[in-house]
Amino acid sequence: MSQIEGEKKLDLLITGVGGQGAILASDIIGKAAVFTGLPIRAAETHGMAQRGGSVVNHIRLGTDLGSMIPKKGADIMLALEPMEAVRYLDFLKDGGVIIVNTQSIIPVTVTSGIAKYPDVQEILDVLSEKYIVKAFNADELAYEAGNRLAMNVAMVGAISGYLPIPKEALLESVKALVPQKTVEINIRAFEMGRRKIEES
């Protein structure tokens, strides 16, 4: 399924806004890499506001280089929000893969009338001109799994087939990092996200 199956090196960018769980998604992948003995470097940056501010995580698997991915260096982007995919496009290599949650989060500048949020389909159309785009509404999928808060884990499931990490290690990491009473929902969200990309 993975287009880079067999490769042990991968540069991944996770983008989103504060409150979406981008850091937990990063931690799940990082812990799973450690479980399997795969070298990992990671770095995260937060926006000016924790909730609603821009968040980006750099994850470098199988490398001894620094933790920051250079511009045009990321193989894959996992975007938890459509406009956050656009914001960090400079880091994705030409022809790279973007897995994007189509559920938008409207910023204050839009609700106050200062700016306009673009049509999500237009965003996807523009991205598809240069990149391989896999898009679905991960918020709705997580709701079907039992809780919208599992959206980030659904997105980890969606990207799991591209990672040089066994699915079982990722699931063990999910079990270790999410609240114990939500393990079942998060495992279901992971599986539904994975299936969504396998079927696309």
Side-chain angles (χ1 to χ4, degrees):
M1 175 183 125
S2 169
Q3 296 179 2
I4 49 177
E5 197 168 0
E7 292 288 333
K8 290 292 185 185
K9 288 188 175 185
L10 183 103
D11 284 347
L12 163 67
L13 204 67
I14 301 178
T15 67
V17 299
Q20 285 192 297
I23 294 172
L24 177 58
S26 173
D27 289 347
I28 289 169
I29 294 168
K31 193 174 188 73
V34 172
F35 281 158
T36 57
L38 186 65
I40 176 170
R41 300 282 187 272
E44 59 194 45
T45 62
H46 305 259
M48 291 299 286
Q50 281 77 31
R51 183 165 290 278
S54 182
V55 177
V56 61
N57 293 36
H58 295 243
I59 300 174
R60 310 194 76 184
L61 297 167
T63 183
D64 294 326
L65 302 175
S67 58
M68 299 295 288
I69 299 171
K71 288 192 174 180
K72 297 287 183 191
D75 300 291
I76 302 182
M77 176 190 290
L78 186 67
L80 307 187
E81 203 281 336
M83 278 305 291
E84 295 305 312
V86 175
R87 185 188 306 274
Y88 295 102
L89 270 181
D90 283 353
F91 286 94
L92 188 63
K93 64 175 55 169
D94 292 345
V97 176
I98 306 174
I99 297 177
V100 58
N101 177 14
T102 57
Q103 181 65 53
S104 57
I105 294 181
I106 306 301
V108 174
T109 51
V110 173
T111 56
S112 61
I114 297 172
K116 182 182 174 194
Y117 194 98
D119 180 76
V120 172
Q121 188 55 54
E122 287 179 15
I123 294 173
L124 298 177
D125 290 345
V126 170
L127 294 177
S128 297
E129 291 174 4
K130 200 169 179 181
Y131 306 98
I132 299 166
V133 177
K134 308 278 185 179
F136 66 99
N137 191 315
D139 281 63
E140 289 180 1
L141 203 69
Y143 181 73
E144 286 178 36
N147 193 320
R148 284 187 189 276
L149 295 178
M151 177 276 291
N152 54 346
V153 177
M155 291 296 282
V156 172
I159 201 170
S160 62
Y162 288 91
L163 300 175
I165 300 172
K167 172 186 164 186
E168 294 73 23
L170 290 162
L171 287 173
E172 285 305 310
S173 187
V174 169
K175 291 175 187 173
L177 291 173
V178 303
Q180 284 308 297
K181 64 182 180 182
T182 68
V183 165
E184 190 177 323
I185 290 171
N186 278 286
I187 294 296
R188 193 158 50 240
F190 178 99
E191 296 286 6
M192 291 171 73
R194 183 177 173 97
R195 210 161 38 243
K196 195 77 175 174
I197 297 302
E198 285 176 344
E199 294 169 353
S200 66

